[in-house]
Amino acid sequence: MRWTIGVNRDLLPEIKSAHSVAGHLLPEAAALLGLRAGTSVLTGIVDGGVGMLFAGATHGKIFNVSGFTDVLAFAQSIRSPTPAAMRGLGLLVPTED
């Protein structure tokens, strides 16, 4: 058994690393941007995630990332939230696949 948030997996994009190539510019988009068709497009990362990395997010540090949103975060060495925490919030439901 695994836990899921109840969203059809077929509707979600493939998870890739921030430095992975997500695709390539189509000729129409390339012309609008003044770039060559076929130029690689990286997956990227959101500004808050980059801010946390540049703030030196390591275990035990508390930091604040300010921008379009304001995030106060605590870095830890374990994945969080845990499935138990997510279940407690009513966000996870069991599935049998």
Side-chain angles (χ1 to χ4, degrees):
M1 179 184 300
R2 67 181 175 82
W3 294 90
T4 181
I5 59 171
V7 175
N8 182 342
R9 187 178 294 243
D10 295 335
L11 299 175
L12 301 174
E14 178 183 350
I15 297 174
K16 295 186 174 208
S17 298
H19 62 277
S20 297
V21 175
H24 299 86
L25 279 181
L26 298 174
E28 302 82 18
L32 287 171
L33 297 169
L35 300 170
R36 285 184 289 148
T39 298
S40 296
V41 177
L42 299 181
T43 303
I45 187 169
V46 298
D47 61 344
V50 171
M52 290 178 204
L53 293 174
F54 281 113
T58 57
H59 179 77
K61 285 191 176 180
I62 295 176
F63 51 92
N64 183 277
V65 178
S66 296
F68 187 73
T69 60
D70 189 56
V71 178
L72 179 61
F74 174 73
Q76 56 184 17
S77 59
I78 61 171
R79 288 182 181 229
S80 180
T82 63
M86 296 294 281
R87 281 192 303 276
L89 295 172
L91 297 175
L92 291 176
V93 293
T95 184
E96 291 293 334
D97 59 12

